[in-house]
Amino acid sequence: MTGSASTPSPTVGGLQSPVIPRDAHNPWYQRPAEPLEGDALLQVDAWWRAANYLSVGQIYLLDNPLLEQPLSRDDVKPRLLGHWGTTPGLNFVYAHLNRMIRQRSLPTLYIAGPGHGGPGMVANAWLDGTYSEIYSKIDQSTDGMRALFRQFSFPGGIPSHAAPETPGSINEGGELGYSLSHAYGAAFDNPNLLVAAVIGDGEAETGPLATAWHSNKFIDPMQDGVVLPILHLNGYKIANPSVLARIPEDDLLALMRGYGHNPHIVSGGFDGEDPLLVHARMAETLDTVLNEIAAIKQDAADGTLEGTPRWPMIILRTPKGWTCPVEIDGLPVENTWRAHQVPLASARDTEAHTRLLESWMKKYKPEELFDSAGRPTPFVTGLAPEGYLRMSATPYSNGGLLRRELRMPDFREYGVDVTAPGHETAEATKVLGGWLADVIRLNPDNFRIFGPDETASNRLQEVYTATDKQWNAEILPVDLNLARAGRVMEMLSEHQCQGWLEGYLLTGRHGLFNCYEAFIHIVDSMFNQHAKWLQVARSIPWRRSVSSLNYLLSSHVWRQDHNGFSHQDPGFIDHVVNKKADVVRVYLPVDANTLLSTYDHCLRSVDYINVVVAGKQPGPQWLSMPEAVAHCTRGLGIWDWAGTERPSDEPDIVLACAGDIPTIETLAAASLLRKHLPELRVRVVNVIDLMRLQDETEHPHGLSNRDFDTIFTTDKPIVFAYHGYPWLIHRLTYRRAANANLHVRGFIENGTTTTPFDMLMLNNLDRYHLVIDAIDRVPGLGSKAAALRQEMQDARMRARQYTREHGEDIPEVAQWLWSGEDGVGFDRQNYSARDEVGADQTGGDNT
Amino acid sequence: MTGSASTPSPTVGGLQSPVIPRDAHNPWYQRPAEPLEGDALLQVDAWWRAANYLSVGQIYLLDNPLLEQPLSRDDVKPRLLGHWGTTPGLNFVYAHLNRMIRQRSLPTLYIAGPGHGGPGMVANAWLDGTYSEIYSKIDQSTDGMRALFRQFSFPGGIPSHAAPETPGSINEGGELGYSLSHAYGAAFDNPNLLVAAVIGDGEAETGPLATAWHSNKFIDPMQDGVVLPILHLNGYKIANPSVLARIPEDDLLALMRGYGHNPHIVSGGFDGEDPLLVHARMAETLDTVLNEIAAIKQDAADGTLEGTPRWPMIILRTPKGWTCPVEIDGLPVENTWRAHQVPLASARDTEAHTRLLESWMKKYKPEELFDSAGRPTPFVTGLAPEGYLRMSATPYSNGGLLRRELRMPDFREYGVDVTAPGHETAEATKVLGGWLADVIRLNPDNFRIFGPDETASNRLQEVYTATDKQWNAEILPVDLNLARAGRVMEMLSEHQCQGWLEGYLLTGRHGLFNCYEAFIHIVDSMFNQHAKWLQVARSIPWRRSVSSLNYLLSSHVWRQDHNGFSHQDPGFIDHVVNKKADVVRVYLPVDANTLLSTYDHCLRSVDYINVVVAGKQPGPQWLSMPEAVAHCTRGLGIWDWAGTERPSDEPDIVLACAGDIPTIETLAAASLLRKHLPELRVRVVNVIDLMRLQDETEHPHGLSNRDFDTIFTTDKPIVFAYHGYPWLIHRLTYRRAANANLHVRGFIENGTTTTPFDMLMLNNLDRYHLVIDAIDRVPGLGSKAAALRQEMQDARMRARQYTREHGEDIPEVAQWLWSGEDGVGFDRQNYSARDEVGADQTGGDNT
């Protein structure tokens, strides 16, 4: 029933995993350009008209989809929603890519960057048959077309922009700016994939998009696919002209050359120019561009490529809202911002306006495009590629179909040998780096690490024993670990890291994003959109699971004493917790072994966003590998070796902790209490999986109240030392009996230059204050406790004074050793940040 | 004691407000370039060497500042922190700008974009005398120099990057990407100001910076100052080369031309090139550039300027860490990423390394630069401009000195005439627009409105009766409200809006940023940094107060039913509340009059970040202007006209609300209860100022417990209908007795296409569910309540079904009228989003 009818079209809805033969054929070849003319030209135009007709229909019509009756007011939707302005351009590109794909059998992923282009993307998917295969009620019939129109931006229907519901899409058309980063993420490690990224001229003004052009310096012509940016200048945003449409053409061309591209301009459709002429120019340009790409690919294969290839790109200038009424009520509409949204908002208001809508739609000549049963004619559907080559059906847009499980080295073999708590010192992320190096070795083509120039600073440098940083600009002899191809992607743009990774994951691969904790807020909004995407995708049967998006936030708030206030912000966790519990997970491993266990879990998981905050500094190792695995599996638990309660007794107080630094301080406080108030029964609880604190009805990881009460008690005071803003703990435990007894210490906005321990003191999260907190909360402790309280206050004063004088922490803190009953301990001499600058001077700090 | 000693230098520390004569002289003039040679050349070099010496001293030395004794291990700081890499470049530019300023008496603001350039900025401020004027203990003496060195990145001292503590700075060097936006913000409406913006090549990779280059299309050569971007390519970031340093020079030049600039390259210092040669080239280029600028300014003044001027910019290529040891321990350091942070981290570790540090510092020949008392020699300080022309002393960097109070039209005269609650219908932001138009008329040169192409969509279009959108790219006849100069700044980049506004405010002006609520998260991290800046600035005596940063978040979460899930996110408020209470305020006005009163307050305030969330749709007007003023002054209060409690009685239940839509639903619920359960004593409480909910010890706006308990009661059930994520209300009221009785309804992540009322139902925030909530929470209501409960459930079912069928809200909701005891009401026929597309088709919706 479509252009792909001749071959059995494996249904996307059926969820069969297609086999994509990576080397089946080389789709990159030069072919003589032939002018688009005759029936071939008319066919492209017919597709475009059909897509435009279907787009207008979605925005306006409730009924009478084929206009078989004169259009009446009641056929028009009462709420007119959607955006026409960008749609004809999106449809134009779609039609031309179809022609190209049919010629070259080139797997192509279409990224619709411009905002709210939903009607166009849906129209094309319906025309090529994919939509009906997935959504059987929206079949290629008059009824199907009616349902197609009705559901658009309608209660219980589909959104007005490309979204998870849209076949062929991996890029939301809601928040703008990420299309090009997504496109590059999709292209990495897909050497035979073309990613056609249509970029709106509004979107092009955003920061993330403006830097994403430089992604072309990170593409390896051998190993990666090709991104073809198509900058669609229709001149206007919501209410303003766009910048790139109003600069001199020389500047525009210079800008694109400056970005490293070879720009080609296609311009047309203005002042009533016949679209057929524009089709011919676009086809010629697309042929030229594909041949240019093929030449680069060939040179790369031949080893004759020198320097960074100058990839082509297309600048497409067409009128905003092209083909809509030129004027409405005496005001120019086509080719103005007035065509941005619903150009004829009054379509129900007067008979004349209803007639205008009808004549607009009839201009596309629906009778030539659809038969009387509402099916697109074979002439139209003949332009569609076959099967999975249809852009709406490409498995690259439903990455779970292509996703291969990671081959995972056994993380247990990479751990730190911990014979007793606090014996050994290790840098958690550095240990993780050793394991990640082997993850990379075992998965050379579907796992990448992304970071804004911080992978070494975050101590993952051992990955460079297995791979390099991919870099396709100039490489000098002095450079280390740079190569044309590599698994580590570093650019000083958190937006790019996030966008690349999202594109990589949504096309079926695996990865992680390592970043400073404070600056991950730069992508708060991208996180929002990805979380919303995952949430919606879970409810769409044909969308297969994709790998989780994994953050590794090292260089966290408690290690930013020296970088100062601007680098101190643990609020990303709070931001994350606002999203639907189904899709977010937050982990705070306390040492190398718990970090390994946590990350093994994260890399295996699907459809989540996992936030892992972990230390990069040398620190005490608390748990052996079996203990770490058990503790991570539980997510939280009592560390009985650290407390002083006797079996079968209830404790007098619970010292709880979450985060590596709070855990150290809590254990130090516990050991002070053990020494000075041995009769006080102290329970130490450590929390790795923050979501365990929530009620089981609120989060799938939530602990049952019974288990929670057993661990935290229902009536004993709890002093909780937490990594981030303290009130989040209250929020998570809101429904717990223990909440009323909870006293949380965490980060509060202060802002001064300090040493590490001084920073803890500023936040009352230091060991001495935790002891004071405990004393203040257990009633009837007597004079011994009062004396200890005073001693703790003196100790704080002493410690503060020392830092002011010497510029570093007081030795009793800096060299503090954990000692349990057996008196063993570890040397925390590296507590200070000094070692950050590293012996090899490469593990530098931030930006 | 400094180069400015000849004139009485008004101290910045003394806080006198300088008179900046706007037309005192024209500093833009062409002057014949003269080669830099002889003493003039040596003087620039001496300054540079002195600044470099002082920078190294800050990073490394505790004592022995003049190296009078052989450098010993104990002279070196135990924790070596800071970033050398960018510093010599920053110092180089500073020295050359000094020379230029002395020649031209051109007020110049220096923006240090590269990360962590703190030591350089501080060194220059100390050399030109400003630092000692502000911080009297850090005087120009050996003791002062010792203190200068010691305090750097030292407990109780100063941060490692330019910060509020740094004289001359308005741009944090912590989080990167905003320098150029800040620079343009500073230049708007300062026609005689040069803003020299040094941009690091790391920073240049960020998205915000990449789009900020296009700011030059928004500068009016007549009314605005000049931004001179100096792209400093030192080749490396933390651990990687930078993109712009590794693309072909032709591409780099094309990129800058594409951005609309005329680029000039200065390159030097490589392979041991004599710095004097580089100085000569830089001076010549700077002279050329200033003459080019003068020519543009002259053409603009003469009216002979055509099109957008091609402003010059400088590309400065020098080695990373220029002048530090070329090699350390056999590894190349200068001109590599190894010079990024502390190039000689081992300076205390071995005698040889200590000696290496000493010889590095002695290379600058301190004995030529400082006298035996530690004062910079007159030859050095002779390069400093005089008084306020010193870049560290410029009042443009301490905007409060220049700030003029806004002239404020009386907002009471712009209100809606409300004779009884719910009588009138108005669009709150549209009414605000009328008042803002007059704010603009009264303040033609120090107030601007910023927005990402949404000012009309957010219904502020009446401002266009008073001004235009500033646009210096091509203007076509079809364009509306575009002009070379105007008070409205629109670019589709939230980063630019925020960065421009920050720069504008920090240089002493006023403004607001209007944005869609969901997408304001794009600037979460910029908000963080500005909040931290304000917080620190409050504690610095010489920093004068600046105007608050005002957000207007219209198109909020409850009006995004049609745009869908991607546009629904009220979490910015949560993000904001994490910051120090001193600097953040959140307001949720419920109608036009409360919005006017709130915004009047915001525009008058200083040193805050005010977040105002307000509706743009037609809605009921609840309060007369006197009532609105009183209500806004209290921040929250009982609406006795809406409830059914009798004086002197306690209510049975409190219905509380915050936000325009929750208020409508709460009043609708109250009226349902009044009708069906008239014996139930209902109290209605409305909250405008969210911070009033907090404890008075936690926020300056916090209500006393006594007042809070009087309003909310301590023991009655409270059903709280809230605009955002529900748990924020719990957080804010955490310490209140009422918290235990609080039942909050708000936004929960759902995600489907709906109508407005359906969206409320999805979140259980609709009137019917609020009635159910009330019934469920008051004990012993009996069978009448049970019947009402069932009726409410039926009503919800009916409403949902209607939306699915008709695509719009059920008439009983869409046309609902508030009726108090007098039976009056308003027509909410415009409740649906349909009117958004507007009759003139310009008030379009989002992107």
Side-chain angles (χ1 to χ4, degrees), chain A residues 444-466:
Chain A
D445 66 354
N446 64 342
F447 175 77
R448 293 198 186 222
I449 293 176
F450 301 81
D453 191 28
E454 293 163 3
T455 302
S457 172
N458 286 328
R459 303 287 165 84
L460 299 176
Q461 65 269 30
E462 212 168 313
V463 299
Y464 299 131
T465 62

Side-chain angles (χ1 to χ4, degrees), chain B residues 108-424:
Chain B
T108 302
L109 177 65
Y110 187 112
I111 305 275
H116 293 278
M121 302 316 291
V122 168
N124 286 290
W126 188 80
L127 277 178
D128 75 14
T130 314
Y131 211 85
S132 306
E133 290 165 24
I134 293 175
Y135 302 107
S136 55
K137 287 189 184 163
I138 317 279
D139 61 1
Q140 290 184 326
S141 72
T142 309
D143 282 349
M145 196 190 291
R146 184 183 298 108
L148 179 79
F149 289 0
R150 187 183 176 88
Q151 69 166 3
F152 175 79
S153 227
F154 201 84
I158 62 168
S160 63
H161 41 68
E165 293 91 337
T166 317
S169 173
I170 66 161
N171 181 68
E172 267 265 350
E175 183 171 309
L176 303 182
Y178 317 125
S179 62
L180 198 49
S181 303
H182 286 163
Y184 277 97
F188 295 136
D189 293 321
N190 278 322
N192 288 344
L193 177 67
L194 179 76
V195 187
V198 183
I199 298 151
D201 47 357
E203 182 184 22
E205 292 178 18
T206 67
L209 201 295
T211 201
W213 293 104
H214 289 300
S215 302
N216 53 13
K217 285 100 196 169
F218 294 85
I219 277 282
D220 174 27
M222 287 295 292
Q223 158 200 267
D224 299 326
V226 176
V227 173
L228 173 61
I230 301 169
L231 176 63
H232 183 213
L233 302 182
N234 65 25
Y236 298 91
K237 299 169 292 194
I238 304 179
N240 283 292
S242 64
V243 168
L244 294 188
R246 294 289 180 90
I247 62 175
E249 193 154 283
D250 281 353
D251 281 13
L252 182 62
L253 291 168
L255 186 64
M256 291 300 132
R257 286 193 194 107
Y259 276 132
H261 280 293
N262 184 27
H264 300 255
I265 295 185
V266 177
S267 176
F270 297 96
D271 304 317
E273 187 191 17
D274 184 349
L276 294 181
L277 299 173
V278 195
H279 286 309
R281 291 202 290 278
M282 180 67 178
E284 187 189 347
T285 299
L286 200 54
D287 288 344
T288 304
V289 156
L290 265 292
N291 284 342
E292 271 183 39
I293 291 170
I296 293 170
K297 281 281 190 181
Q298 192 58 53
D299 287 350
D302 296 348
T304 57
L305 191 66
E306 278 180 28
T308 311
R310 186 167 289 280
W311 299 102
M313 61 80 61
I314 296 173
I315 296 166
L316 174 63
R317 275 192 205 269
T318 61
K320 180 126 183 166
W322 193 9
T323 69
C324 82
V326 174
E327 279 196 3
I328 298 172
D329 298 337
L331 289 174
V333 176
E334 191 197 33
N335 198 27
T336 79
W337 73 93
R338 293 188 185 92
H340 175 73
Q341 197 170 345
V342 180
L344 185 61
S346 52
R348 262 169 80 100
D349 294 356
T350 70
E351 175 65 18
H353 287 121
T354 308
R355 291 276 76 72
L356 185 56
L357 173 59
E358 186 178 46
S359 70
W360 171 12
M361 293 189 72
K362 289 208 159 166
K363 204 166 64 177
Y364 300 118
K365 302 189 184 151
E367 65 285 1
E368 291 179 14
L369 308 170
F370 309 100
D371 67 18
S372 60
R375 282 182 309 199
T377 64
F379 184 65
V380 171
T381 57
L383 192 70
E386 302 203 343
Y388 282 120
L389 283 172
R390 293 173 297 173
M391 290 181 286
S392 300
T394 178
Y396 292 99
S397 68
N398 186 10
L401 288 170
L402 301 176
R403 180 176 177 273
R404 290 168 285 140
E405 295 282 338
L406 276 183
R407 284 188 258 175
M408 300 282 274
D410 187 347
F411 68 93
R412 293 169 194 83
E413 293 169 14
Y414 298 77
V416 177
D417 190 16
V418 175
T419 52
H423 270 227
E424 284 75 26

Side-chain angles (χ1 to χ4, degrees), chain A residues 116 240 341 524 561 845 847, chain B residues 79 116 341 490 524 845 847:
Chain A
H116 294 278
N240 283 292
Q341 197 170 345
D524 271 4
D561 50 286
D845 212 58
T847 58
Chain B
R79 293 176 84 207
H116 293 278
Q341 197 170 345
E490 297 217 313
D524 271 4
D845 214 56
T847 57

Side-chain angles (χ1 to χ4, degrees), chain B residues 8-19:
Chain B
S9 160
T11 64
V12 178
L15 294 181
Q16 291 92 345
S17 179
V19 178

Side-chain angles (χ1 to χ4, degrees), chain A residues 154-174:
Chain A
F154 201 83
I158 61 168
S160 63
H161 41 68
E165 293 91 337
T166 318
S169 173
I170 66 161
N171 181 67
E172 266 265 350

Side-chain angles (χ1 to χ4, degrees), chain A residues 78-79 81 83 116 150 153-156 158-159 161 172 174-175 205-207 210-211 217 236-241 246-247 251 254-255 257-259 310 337 340-341 343 345 349 453 469 471 473-474 476 478-480 482 490-493 519 521-522 524-525 528-529 532 535-536 561-563 565-569 575 578-580 725 727 730-731 734 749-750 753-756 803-808 833-834 837 841-842 844-847, chain B residues 78-79 81 83 116 150 153-159 161 172 174-175 205-207 210-211 217 236-241 246-247 251 254-255 257-259 310 336-337 341 343 345 349 453 469 471 473-474 476 478-480 482 490-493 519 521-522 524-525 528-529 532 535-536 561-563 565-569 575 578-580 725 727 730-731 734 749-750 753-756 803-808 833-834 837 841-842 844-847:
Chain A
R79 296 176 81 206
L81 301 169
H83 293 67
H116 294 278
R150 187 183 176 87
S153 226
F154 201 83
I158 61 168
H161 41 68
E172 266 265 350
E175 183 171 310
E205 293 179 18
T206 66
T211 202
K217 285 100 196 171
Y236 298 91
K237 298 169 292 194
I238 303 180
N240 283 292
R246 293 287 179 93
I247 62 176
D251 281 13
L255 187 65
R257 287 193 193 107
Y259 277 131
R310 188 166 288 279
W337 72 95
H340 175 73
Q341 197 170 345
D349 294 355
D453 191 28
K469 292 176 278 193
W471 181 264
E474 192 185 10
L476 299 179
V478 73
D479 294 327
L480 281 183
L482 284 192
E490 297 216 314
M491 183 170 167
L492 208 168
S493 165
F519 302 141
H521 275 299
I522 290 170
D524 271 4
S525 212
N528 275 352
Q529 297 303 334
K532 283 172 184 281
Q535 186 186 332
V536 173
D561 50 286
H562 61 298
N563 276 323
F565 194 39
S566 66
H567 288 53
Q568 297 164 5
D569 194 300
H575 180 71
N578 271 344
K579 288 288 159 283
K580 191 90 168 175
Y725 294 111
W727 50 268
H730 286 293
R731 176 189 165 186
Y734 176 61
E749 297 281 319
N750 285 293
T753 302
T754 64
T755 63
T803 66
R804 289 293 181 284
E805 212 168 302
H806 298 270
E808 57 183 352
R834 175 155 173 232
V837 293
Q841 295 151 5
T842 62
D845 212 58
N846 191 33
T847 58
Chain B
R79 293 176 84 207
L81 301 169
H83 293 67
H116 293 278
R150 187 183 176 88
S153 227
F154 201 84
I158 62 168
H161 41 68
E172 267 265 350
E175 183 171 309
E205 292 178 18
T206 67
T211 201
K217 285 100 196 169
Y236 298 91
K237 299 169 292 194
I238 304 179
N240 283 292
R246 294 289 180 90
I247 62 175
D251 281 13
L255 186 64
R257 286 193 194 107
Y259 276 132
R310 186 167 289 280
T336 79
W337 73 93
Q341 197 170 345
D349 294 356
D453 192 27
K469 293 175 278 191
W471 180 266
E474 192 184 9
L476 298 179
V478 73
D479 293 326
L480 281 183
L482 284 191
E490 297 217 313
M491 182 171 166
L492 210 168
S493 164
F519 302 141
H521 275 299
I522 290 170
D524 271 4
S525 211
N528 275 353
Q529 297 302 332
K532 284 171 184 281
Q535 187 186 331
V536 173
D561 51 286
H562 60 298
N563 275 323
F565 194 38
S566 66
H567 288 52
Q568 297 165 5
D569 194 300
H575 180 70
N578 271 345
K579 287 290 160 281
K580 192 88 168 178
Y725 294 112
W727 51 268
H730 287 293
R731 176 189 166 186
Y734 175 61
E749 298 280 319
N750 284 293
T753 302
T754 64
T755 63
T803 66
R804 290 291 181 284
E805 213 167 300
H806 299 269
E808 57 184 351
R834 174 156 173 231
V837 294
Q841 295 151 9
T842 63
D845 214 56
N846 191 32
T847 57

